[in-house]
Amino acid sequence: MNLASLLSRERINLELKSTKKEEVLRDLVYMIKSKTDAELIYNTLLKREELGSTGIGKGIAIPHCRSLAVSKLEIAVGRTLKPINFNAIDKKPVSLFFLIIAPPQDPGNQYLITLGKIVQICRELSKGNLINKPQTPDEFIALINEIEKKLTKKR
Amino acid sequence: MKKEIDIMRLLKRLFDLDNLIADKEADKKIGFKIDEEVGLLSLKRERANLLKEIPKEYADTYERVKKRYTLALAEVKNGFCFGCFQQLPTEMLVRSNEIVTCPNCGRILFWREE
């Protein structure tokens, strides 16, 4: 499974204006769903953050959960214009967000595999200082594709 | 009295919350930090509060089905219960605004609001 193929241009926003954790989560969720479905996901995400921040450090967070509101794995990406406080493990502000929402029943465990893969890719992004490099959604997808290829070669 | 549509929303929140709690070990394995004390306690408190808001008959059904199948809610798609994959009686398919259970497996059925 190829991560870049799960990303779509319409669901990547590299110019989020939000300055608060809650606002960013809402912005991201509304890229995928609207109305009551979006509110259900938003609610679950807030609870997930209470269980422990999904800010993995070095400016990146991966908010994620399973929700009844989706029938397949959905991903959205956002980058805020200014880094925001997300209670990340290294206490540093976060600017890049990968939102992953999976359906409750998930044959083949695609959700956890994708989540693990995104964590790996995010480590490469921060290692190479690449968080702010892509300027357009297309450039972002190309960069993820490139990192993914490099990681597959390493294996 | 609460409307069934509102009760259904509460059941969905409860269901998502239960999945969060169930997924915490997998999250830890992937490398996420989980707060086993304050965080988990807060989720359990939220769970208890949600249960209080849901009328007893539905809360009991939810808990009973969860014990048996883990996932207590199932989607209705193309006339089938997507929990047990049995075809549902036609007369049930018009009841998307009510809370109904699958006559075969007993899971609480929901229709996607699309």
Side-chain angles (χ1 to χ4, degrees):
Chain A
M1 191 261 319
N2 170 272
L3 176 65
S5 68
L6 291 171
L7 297 172
S8 74
R9 226 179 283 149
E10 300 74 38
R11 288 184 178 179
I12 301 174
N13 184 344
L14 302 176
E15 292 168 335
L16 289 179
K17 292 172 186 76
S18 317
T19 53
K20 288 192 183 77
K21 182 175 190 161
E22 290 78 12
E23 287 172 9
V24 172
L25 289 177
R26 255 221 166 86
D27 285 349
L28 290 164
V29 171
Y30 274 84
M31 281 194 232
I32 304 183
K33 288 274 171 185
S34 60
K35 297 183 206 160
T36 50
D37 278 348
E39 288 305 312
L40 175 66
I41 301 174
Y42 172 69
N43 236 300
T44 310
L45 283 175
L46 281 186
K47 286 292 145 197
R48 173 60 189 82
E49 292 302 319
E50 273 185 44
L51 197 54
S53 174
T54 56
I56 56 165
K58 302 211 164 116
I60 303 177
I62 311 173
H64 60 272
C65 67
R66 285 184 204 270
S67 179
L68 267 187
V70 300
S71 50
K72 61 178 180 53
L73 195 78
E74 308 275 9
I75 299 182
V77 177
R79 190 173 66 197
T80 51
L81 294 172
K82 280 183 191 154
I84 67 159
N85 180 14
F86 207 77
N87 304 325
I89 26 173
D90 60 357
K91 308 268 181 245
K92 287 192 179 136
V94 176
S95 59
L96 185 65
F97 299 84
F98 270 92
L99 176 78
I100 306 157
I101 312 295
Q105 266 173 326
D106 166 34
N109 237 341
Q110 199 197 5
Y111 170 50
L112 296 176
I113 295 167
T114 311
L115 197 53
K117 207 169 191 181
I118 290 180
V119 170
Q120 234 186 340
I121 287 174
C122 285
R123 289 205 181 107
E124 294 297 312
L125 278 173
S126 57
K127 238 195 270 172
N129 225 346
L130 299 166
I131 295 177
N132 291 313
K133 198 184 164 210
Q135 293 307 310
T136 63
D138 282 327
E139 281 176 34
F140 187 87
I141 295 175
L143 176 64
I144 297 296
N145 222 341
E146 200 183 301
I147 295 175
E148 210 176 353
K149 270 191 197 142
K150 218 164 61 185
L151 286 173
T152 330
K153 259 188 212 157
K154 265 188 200 170
R155 264 187 228 135
Chain B
M1 245 210 12
K2 274 197 179 90
K3 275 195 213 143
E4 297 213 350
I5 191 163
D6 294 325
I7 300 169
M8 196 63 214
R9 279 189 190 137
L10 292 171
L11 284 168
K12 284 180 177 177
R13 273 175 63 185
L14 180 65
F15 181 85
D16 270 10
L17 194 67
D18 277 337
N19 282 327
L20 266 191
I21 298 171
D23 272 338
K24 78 179 172 60
E25 294 306 321
D27 265 37
K28 260 202 268 184
K29 258 187 215 155
I30 293 172
F32 288 96
K33 216 178 121 208
I34 298 287
D35 179 353
E36 292 275 4
E37 285 170 24
V38 185
L40 191 59
L41 212 72
S42 147
L43 259 56
K44 288 192 172 157
R45 207 179 304 128
E46 165 89 0
R47 186 178 201 282
N49 288 339
L50 275 172
L51 273 179
K52 267 187 235 158
E53 278 187 65
I54 299 168
K56 195 174 179 302
E57 51 168 316
Y58 300 118
D60 286 352
T61 307
Y62 180 92
E63 293 287 62
R64 198 180 57 243
V65 183
K66 182 178 180 273
K67 230 181 234 166
R68 178 143 185 211
Y69 298 115
T70 315
L71 301 179
L73 264 60
E75 187 181 347
V76 178
K77 234 168 154 177
N78 305 326
F80 283 81
C81 161
F82 261 54
C84 64
F85 298 100
Q86 288 291 311
Q87 194 158 17
L88 295 163
T90 326
E91 67 266 23
M92 279 188 77
L93 302 178
V94 291
R95 297 170 66 185
S96 59
N97 289 324
E98 298 168 40
I99 298 175
V100 284
T101 53
C102 169
N104 181 55
C105 68
R107 288 181 178 91
I108 300 170
L109 299 170
F110 76 96
W111 279 256
R112 208 160 279 287
E113 295 176 31
E114 269 170 354

